Amino acid sequence: SFHALIVLGGLAGVCGTAFVIRGVVGRRLPYWTLHVDLAMSTVLISVGAAIGVTGRAAFADIYVWVALFSGLYFRPIGALVHVGGAGAAYALVLLFGPKVDDPLAAWFVIMVTTVFTGVIVLALVGLLQLTNREDVLTGLANRRYWDDRYTEELDRSRRSGASLSVAMIDIDGFKAVNDHLGHQAGDHLLVEVANAWKLVVRSGGDFLARLGGDEFGVLAPGADELGIRRLVGRLGAALPEGIFCSFGTATWDRIENASDLLRR
């Protein structure tokens, strides 16, 4: 109908305006504005779904995009809130909007599809994040994850006043192992050392990462100079027989920046 066309034209205008704004200044907008965008999208989808009937509310399939967007950009709790909001909004459309043949079945089909889509996207995003943060060989955190965590811990110590210590570790003679016994033997050595150290670091406290080659790093939030030396002592004692490492430790002096602390 003509009324429906007017409503659709208005929705298209709102969406186009929002698209232009996000495209021009999106990078400068706070992260929370993404939640506002998605909430407004849910409202617009609901308005569109309320203006036509084809056995079920028209345009309701677009609720799936709420799950896609929230799964890509938000944590599971945030995604759940938005999908739940979409479910409530669609229920209101079916309750107070144009009559459909079977409102319960219409709601169930759309929401199951939406939830299923959201779960798949969240699982894929989680898998990609894990792959992006994990060293494939040893299962430890990789260099990228180390850099992020190091910055976070330093900022946290700066705010709270808690100690922060760092240890850098190299396996002695590792190049000789690769040269004389082959890279497969070197990989086996790295895995053996990493597995031994996983049993030593504090769960939920210390943060152990492979930075590349035979270089490892340890973050010890809350540890002072004595604490970090005790930790590397335990790491040294856990080494398999015949393997030796060189350890360097430093405790943040509350003045130096992140690179200076690592260099020291």
Side-chain angles (χ1 to χ4, degrees):
S1 66
F2 180 71
H3 176 70
L5 290 176
I6 293 177
V7 174
L8 288 176
L11 294 179
V14 172
C15 292
T17 302
F19 178 78
V20 171
I21 293 174
R22 178 61 66 177
V24 173
V25 298
R27 291 181 179 274
R28 298 194 294 272
L29 294 176
Y31 181 78
W32 58 264
T33 59
L34 292 176
H35 288 284
V36 176
D37 286 352
L38 193 55
M40 291 178 59
S41 298
T42 299
V43 173
L44 294 176
I45 294 169
S46 301
V47 172
I51 66 174
V53 180
T54 55
R56 54 187 172 84
F59 304 107
D61 296 337
I62 307 177
Y63 282 119
V64 171
W65 285 96
V66 174
L68 287 171
F69 189 94
S70 57
L72 283 172
Y73 290 100
F74 304 138
R75 296 180 183 275
I77 295 298
L80 179 62
V81 169
H82 282 288
V83 171
Y90 189 36
L92 292 175
V93 169
L94 293 172
L95 186 62
F96 298 105
K99 301 301 180 182
V100 299
D101 298 336
D102 190 342
L104 183 60
W107 185 91
F108 186 78
V109 169
I110 294 298
M111 285 303 106
V112 166
T113 304
T114 301
V115 171
F116 186 69
T117 301
V119 170
I120 291 177
V121 173
L122 282 171
L124 290 174
V125 169
L127 180 61
L128 289 173
Q129 288 177 341
L130 179 62
T131 304
N132 194 42
R133 291 183 165 190
E134 185 178 283
D135 176 59
V136 177
L137 179 63
T138 63
L140 298 176
N142 61 16
R143 182 60 184 257
R144 176 175 295 181
Y145 192 11
W146 161 273
D147 290 339
D148 292 341
R149 184 66 177 270
Y150 179 46
T151 302
E152 291 175 5
E153 294 296 346
L154 198 60
D155 289 342
R156 184 176 292 113
S157 293
R158 187 177 288 111
R159 293 192 306 267
S160 67
S163 297
L164 174 65
S165 294
V166 184
M168 306 296 286
I169 313 167
D170 286 320
I171 299 178
D172 295 342
F174 182 73
K175 185 176 183 302
V177 173
N178 278 336
D179 291 344
H180 298 138
L181 301 179
H183 288 282
Q184 186 173 358
D187 290 347
H188 178 75
L189 173 59
L190 291 171
V191 171
E192 192 177 7
V193 169
N195 289 338
W197 284 346
K198 289 175 185 178
L199 302 176
V200 175
V201 295
R202 296 173 298 170
S203 176
D206 304 325
F207 182 74
L208 175 64
R210 182 189 175 204
L211 306 183
D214 64 326
E215 184 180 17
F216 296 81
V218 180
L219 292 173
D224 56 13
E225 293 181 4
L226 180 59
I228 189 63
R229 289 177 183 176
R230 285 176 174 172
L231 173 58
V232 298
R234 294 195 301 270
L235 294 174
L239 286 170
E241 185 177 356
I243 299 175
F244 302 94
C245 289
S246 297
F247 296 86
T249 67
T251 299
W252 186 42
D253 63 3
R254 309 200 171 280
I255 299 176
E256 58 198 346
N257 57 32
S259 59
D260 288 339
L261 174 57
L262 283 184
R263 190 178 300 112
R264 183 161 63 87

